[in-house]
């Protein structure tokens, strides 16, 4: 069933505007629900802005000192601090520092466990919603604390690049445990697809494969030890745990924030004389080259969230909308990539730009293994006559992945595609 709109719109910044713009409809038993335009939406227009039910920073991202608000994932480093760390140049000074929007004087720590928030508002929101359950107090750095043992196990199984986090599941549990109306939150989470297999297409989710059986059993035991609650006993049963795992793996939307990126966008918007503009652009280009040399492409504070309305968007290899995070926090903005007519389905891509440029066979392989469906968008239909083989470059990449999976008979596969 499609989720009631009043549930979804309660998480949008302007629910009245959203209600006039889009509609959630049930399509069929295979695609489930979809999001449809109710009016003309112009290219570049914001369709809606939505906050997640829950979100969490990736654990490796946090360990590598990408400092973000524990609640909204806003980057907490100033643009200059961020640039110095990423470039490895401690004496670096950014021009136009006034364009940085980070306000360290507003940052607050939890008085018990010292995790950081961008503001008193975020600290209070986290405390009211889930943090009282998850707060480890003085045991924040204790490796034997049950939550820390769960985090360490996840990191040992899921190396970067991360695409999900066990802490999304932990926050789902914590939200329900703290809620006065537990049924309301259970109902909201039930709107997300959580199937571990697509029986019609005989597809099973790759993260639940036989090679991960031992790792999943360990995570299940640690998850139960850290968070068990009688009201949620279904989630802690073996099958319920796998459903939760499939839920965050299938529905988790990546979130990226960066104080440096915001500063660069603000610089781009400056009206400057030609010589000053060229000098500033040259400085920024050099900075990104220094960062690429020192850090590579791993630039942002990154995490994942569960968004009710965004999760209703189906996939297309030629999407007409895309999600972004222009506020440098967890607020998702869906923008139209082209004009969208009333009654037209609003689709996003579950693939990144590089993946969308790969062959139909390769795209289908990624979508089958991670999202349990066979794509039938216009691009895939027009490429149906293509042979089901990848390009030479893709075959080499897949061969390399296969070799990596078989190295060392004593090691299980890593959950790098969760």
């Amino acid at each position: 069933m499609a989720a009631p709109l009043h549930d979804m719109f309660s998480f949008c910044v302007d629910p009245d505007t959203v209600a006039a713009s889009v509609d959630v409809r049930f399509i069929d038993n295979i695609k489930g629900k979809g999001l449809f335009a109710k009016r003309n939406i112009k290219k570049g227009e914001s369709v809606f802005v939505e906050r997640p039910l829950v979100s969490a920073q990736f654990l490796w991202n946090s360990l590598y000192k990408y400092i973000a608000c524990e609640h909204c994932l806003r980057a907490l480093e100033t643009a200059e601090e961020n640039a110095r760390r990423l470039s490895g140049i401690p004496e670096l000074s950014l021009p136009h520092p006034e364009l940085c929007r980070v306000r360290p004087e507003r940052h607050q720590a939890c008085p018990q466990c010292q995790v950081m928030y961008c503001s008193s508002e975020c600290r209070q929101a986290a405390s009211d919603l889930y943090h009282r359950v998850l707060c480890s107090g003085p045991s924040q750095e204790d490796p034997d604390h049950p939550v820390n043992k769960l985090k360490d196990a996840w990191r040992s199984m899921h190396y970067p690049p991360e695409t999900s986090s066990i802490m999304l599941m932990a926050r789902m549990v914590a939200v329900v445990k703290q809620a006065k109306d537990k049924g309301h939150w259970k109902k909201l989470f039930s709107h997300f697809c959580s199937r571990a297999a697509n029986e019609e297409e005989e597809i099973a989710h790759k993260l639940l494969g036989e090679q991960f059986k031992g790792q999943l059993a360990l995570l299940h035991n640690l998850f139960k030890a850290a968070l068990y609650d009688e009201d949620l006993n279904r989630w802690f049963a073996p099958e319920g745990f796998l459903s939760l795992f499939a839920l965050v793996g299938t529905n988790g939307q990546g979130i990226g924030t960066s104080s440096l990126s915001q500063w660069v966008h603000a610089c781009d918007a400056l009206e400057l004389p030609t010589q000053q503009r060229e000098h500033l652009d040259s400085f920024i280009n050099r900075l990104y080259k220094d960062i690429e040399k020192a850090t590579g492409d791993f630039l942002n504070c990154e995490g994942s969230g569960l968004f009710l309305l965004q999760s209703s968007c189906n996939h297309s290899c030629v999407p007409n909308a895309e999600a972004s995070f222009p506020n440098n926090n967890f607020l998702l903005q869906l923008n139209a990539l082209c004009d969208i007519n009333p009654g037209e389905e609003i689709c996003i891509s579950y693939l990144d730009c590089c993946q969308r440029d790969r062959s139909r066979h390769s795209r289908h392989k990624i979508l089958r293994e991670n999202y349990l469906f066979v794509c039938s968008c216009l691009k895939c239909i027009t490429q149906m006559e293509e042979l089901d083989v990848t390009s030479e470059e893709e075959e080499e990449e897949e061969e390399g992945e296969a070799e990596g999976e078989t190295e060392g008979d004593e090691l299980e596969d890593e959950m790098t595609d969760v």
Side-chain angles (χ1 to χ4, degrees):
M1 287 181 60
L5 291 184
H6 62 81
D7 280 346
M8 289 186 167
F9 294 166
S10 67
F11 289 91
C12 294
V13 173
D14 189 348
D16 292 334
T17 300
V18 175
S21 300
V22 298
D23 192 17
V24 179
R25 302 179 199 162
F26 180 77
I27 300 174
D28 55 43
N29 289 328
I30 296 175
K31 293 188 75 171
K33 60 196 175 190
L35 193 68
F36 294 82
K38 292 172 68 176
R39 61 173 179 82
N40 287 308
I41 300 173
K42 296 298 182 183
K43 178 181 179 180
E45 186 179 345
S46 172
V47 183
F48 60 77
V49 178
E50 182 182 19
R51 72 177 186 271
L53 271 65
V54 289
S55 61
Q57 187 180 5
F58 292 145
L59 292 176
W60 278 105
N61 191 268
S62 174
L63 195 66
Y64 285 151
K65 307 301 182 185
Y66 288 77
I67 306 167
C69 174
E70 183 75 3
H71 182 59
C72 78
L73 274 68
R74 183 184 298 276
L76 297 184
E77 290 177 303
T78 65
E80 189 166 88
E81 290 169 340
N82 192 211
R84 287 175 175 177
R85 179 171 60 80
L86 292 175
S87 67
I89 305 174
E91 68 277 8
L92 179 71
S93 294
L94 294 186
H96 302 287
E98 74 280 359
L99 297 179
C100 177
R101 300 179 189 176
V102 177
R103 296 292 176 262
E105 69 275 8
R106 297 195 67 213
H107 297 174
Q108 289 196 6
C110 168
Q112 281 76 44
C113 68
Q114 302 305 311
V115 298
M116 291 300 299
Y117 298 94
C118 67
S119 63
S120 59
E121 291 83 2
C122 270
R123 183 176 69 82
Q124 191 61 53
S127 178
D128 292 344
L129 193 59
Y130 56 81
H131 186 65
R132 292 199 301 272
V133 167
L134 295 176
C135 182
S136 53
S139 301
Q140 175 71 4
E141 303 298 329
D142 181 3
D144 292 325
H145 188 279
V147 173
N148 290 336
K149 290 172 76 172
L150 179 65
K151 291 179 178 180
D152 288 342
W154 175 262
R155 278 192 291 257
S156 71
M157 299 173 190
H158 192 306
Y159 290 98
E162 294 170 275
T163 54
S164 189
S165 174
I166 195 74
M167 294 311 294
L168 266 186
M169 296 165 60
R171 289 199 177 175
M172 289 172 67
V173 170
V175 163
V176 176
K177 288 177 75 169
Q178 277 194 211
K180 292 181 180 178
D181 188 350
K182 299 182 189 300
H184 171 71
W185 281 95
K186 289 182 188 178
K187 183 179 178 182
L188 288 178
F189 289 129
S190 74
H191 293 315
F192 293 97
C193 174
S194 60
R195 61 180 178 174
N198 179 340
E199 291 79 10
E200 294 91 347
E201 298 288 348
E202 297 183 350
I203 307 171
H205 203 296
K206 67 183 300 180
L207 66 88
L208 302 179
E210 189 66 26
Q211 71 271 35
F212 298 135
K213 188 174 181 180
Q215 294 175 336
L216 287 166
L218 174 61
L219 283 174
H220 177 222
N221 289 335
L222 292 172
F223 188 75
K224 194 171 182 178
L227 297 160
Y228 182 76
D229 185 87
E230 184 66 33
D231 288 329
L232 292 169
N233 57 4
R234 181 173 164 274
W235 284 2
F236 289 96
E239 287 302 314
F241 176 77
L242 294 183
S243 292
L244 275 189
F245 216 76
L247 187 155
V248 299
T250 303
N251 296 279
Q253 164 66 49
I255 300 170
T257 63
S258 169
S259 52
L260 177 60
S261 178
Q262 272 210 321
W263 174 83
V264 170
H265 287 313
C267 286
D268 290 342
L270 288 175
E271 294 184 4
L272 298 173
T274 301
Q275 189 173 2
Q276 290 184 33
R277 166 55 59 192
E278 290 176 351
H279 182 74
L280 181 57
D281 289 346
S282 176
F283 174 88
I284 292 172
N285 288 336
R286 280 199 316 274
L287 174 59
Y288 274 119
K289 287 179 181 178
D290 289 335
I291 290 173
E292 184 178 7
K293 186 177 179 180
T295 311
D297 295 328
F298 195 29
L299 301 181
N300 298 340
C301 295
E302 295 181 342
S304 184
L306 296 176
F307 295 84
L308 264 180
L309 201 54
Q310 175 270 345
S311 70
S312 300
C313 294
N314 284 310
H315 164 83
S316 171
C317 296
V318 188
N320 57 12
E322 68 176 356
S324 63
F325 297 88
N327 298 292
N328 197 34
N329 62 8
F330 61 16
L331 289 180
L332 180 151
Q333 182 169 301
L334 193 76
N335 295 316
L337 293 173
C338 59
D339 291 349
I340 303 174
N341 298 318
E344 187 177 347
E345 185 174 7
I346 299 173
C347 293
I348 59 176
S349 177
Y350 298 172
L351 307 173
D352 61 34
C353 292
C354 293
Q355 291 171 332
R356 291 204 298 273
D357 289 337
R358 297 177 73 176
S359 69
R360 175 178 177 271
H361 174 75
S362 293
R363 298 197 308 272
H364 279 209
K365 181 177 184 291
I366 297 168
L367 293 168
R368 284 170 61 92
E369 292 179 341
N370 292 282
Y371 300 101
L372 306 179
F373 70 89
V374 176
C375 184
S376 58
C377 72
L378 183 60
K379 181 176 181 178
C380 288
I381 291 173
T382 59
Q383 295 177 346
M384 283 184 68
E385 301 303 317
E386 289 185 359
L387 295 175
D388 281 343
V389 293
T390 59
S391 67
E392 183 177 332
E393 182 183 27
E394 290 167 340
E395 285 178 347
E396 289 175 358
E397 181 179 325
E398 289 174 6
E399 286 173 7
E401 290 172 355
E403 288 174 7
E405 289 172 358
T406 57
E407 284 181 1
D409 293 335
E410 297 178 2
L411 293 175
E412 281 193 281
D413 291 349
E414 298 164 6
M415 290 178 161
T416 52
D417 293 303
V418 176

